[in-house]
Amino acid sequence: MNTECANLLSFLSGELGEKEKKAFAEHLIQCSECTREYEQMTEAWDSLKWDFEEKEPSSSLKSEVMNFVFETDDEVPVRREKKWSGFFFKQFTPVTSGLLLAVLVLVFVLLYSNIQLKKELAAINLPMEVKTSLSLQPANKTGVNMKTDGAAYILQQGEERRLIVQIQNLPSLQDSEVYQVWLLKDGKRRNAGTFKPDEAGTGSLTYKLSIDDKFNQIGITKEPDSNSTKPRGEKIVGSS
């Protein structure tokens, strides 16, 4: 949804300033979706005054309203709902009631969409911070993997955290083999996912961290497949 589209409800209710109102009017000419919704809402609202049937308030209306206001809290909620629905349909014709209900639903949907859009835009505008960086060194500095190294970063945007792992000079894999990332804390390991390197031996992994994902070390092993619940293969690199 275009951010300008979110101002449709404010435009209809007259909440926009002169500058914003003029900008939205220009947008309305170019946006077919807003034009369609604007026409539908305007048509529904205008039809209410033609379908409204004036009635003389009944002598019991005041007492019914006051009795509802001063009802005790232990009255069954369903009974209250029936009273209000009955009162509502007494005051409006079925057509008017249907149109008014449709307008209320549409207003609710537009408000919800506007709130969700604002949340998404706010998340996009939040700065991305590098909270932690870890150097990954080869587990065996005298073997064939001595050149394998890399780094891991914890990035935070708002309340969301992600782990980024980048490794280079990884040995090639065979068949179903994968590299698996483990998060370690107090001797306990948590699986953070698997990856395969490209032809140049460069591999990377992005893992969304939950609140429970707390660790102080990272290890990467070479596994026979992606079904390992604990390390079965050789450790290739890790943090110190």
Side-chain angles (χ1 to χ4, degrees):
M1 176 188 288
N2 190 306
T3 54
E4 195 69 40
C5 297
N7 292 327
L8 176 59
L9 186 59
S10 300
F11 180 77
L12 287 169
S13 60
E15 296 179 1
L16 297 178
E18 290 300 322
K19 184 178 180 180
E20 290 82 3
K21 188 183 296 183
K22 182 179 179 181
F24 186 82
E26 294 176 355
H27 166 75
L28 193 62
I29 297 174
Q30 302 174 357
C31 181
S32 58
E33 184 177 351
C34 283
T35 301
R36 177 174 57 80
E37 292 186 5
Y38 175 79
E39 291 175 351
Q40 290 176 349
M41 293 185 69
T42 305
E43 181 180 351
W45 181 259
D46 290 342
S47 64
L48 292 179
K49 61 184 180 182
W50 300 110
D51 191 55
F52 183 78
E53 180 180 335
E54 282 194 37
K55 290 187 178 181
E56 187 69 27
S58 63
S59 57
S60 62
L61 177 60
K62 180 178 180 181
S63 60
E64 288 177 3
V65 174
M66 297 305 293
N67 287 338
F68 179 82
V69 172
F70 292 105
E71 279 176 349
T72 58
D73 292 336
D74 57 356
E75 184 172 358
V76 181
V78 175
R79 184 180 170 191
R80 286 192 173 190
E81 184 179 341
K82 288 182 178 179
K83 278 191 173 185
W84 266 112
S85 60
F87 171 77
F88 181 79
F89 284 107
K90 281 181 183 179
Q91 306 306 313
F92 300 97
T93 66
V95 176
T96 301
S97 301
L99 286 171
L100 185 56
L101 180 60
V103 170
L104 291 174
V105 170
L106 182 58
V107 168
F108 174 79
V109 171
L110 289 173
L111 282 173
Y112 179 77
S113 298
N114 193 23
I115 291 172
Q116 290 299 110
L117 179 61
K118 286 182 178 179
K119 287 183 177 180
E120 292 175 5
L121 291 175
I124 293 173
N125 292 328
L126 287 175
M128 182 81 72
E129 299 180 68
V130 178
K131 304 299 290 186
T132 306
S133 62
L134 298 171
S135 175
L136 302 179
Q137 302 297 328
N140 185 357
K141 296 185 179 181
T142 59
V144 294
N145 305 328
M146 58 181 299
K147 293 184 178 180
T148 303
D149 60 6
Y153 308 93
I154 296 178
L155 305 181
Q156 183 159 349
Q157 185 177 35
E159 297 181 357
E160 186 174 284
R161 295 188 307 151
R162 291 186 182 276
L163 171 68
I164 309 295
V165 176
Q166 296 176 328
I167 309 292
Q168 52 268 354
N169 300 317
L170 283 163
S172 59
L173 299 174
Q174 302 296 324
D175 300 326
S176 62
E177 289 182 333
V178 296
Y179 287 109
Q180 189 153 351
V181 179
W182 305 94
L183 308 181
L184 297 88
K185 183 175 177 60
D186 300 329
K188 296 181 180 179
R189 293 181 178 85
R190 182 187 292 269
N191 177 17
T194 62
F195 67 91
K196 290 191 174 186
D198 57 22
E199 295 180 355
T202 301
S204 63
L205 176 139
T206 300
Y207 178 72
K208 185 177 181 180
L209 294 168
S210 66
I211 299 176
D212 299 328
D213 287 326
K214 297 178 181 178
F215 61 95
N216 49 28
Q217 286 185 301
I218 294 177
I220 299 177
T221 58
K222 184 179 181 181
E223 299 296 320
D225 52 53
S226 58
N227 301 319
S228 299
T229 56
K230 60 181 180 179
R232 295 182 290 166
E234 175 190 6
K235 182 178 179 181
I236 305 299
V237 292
S239 61
S240 56

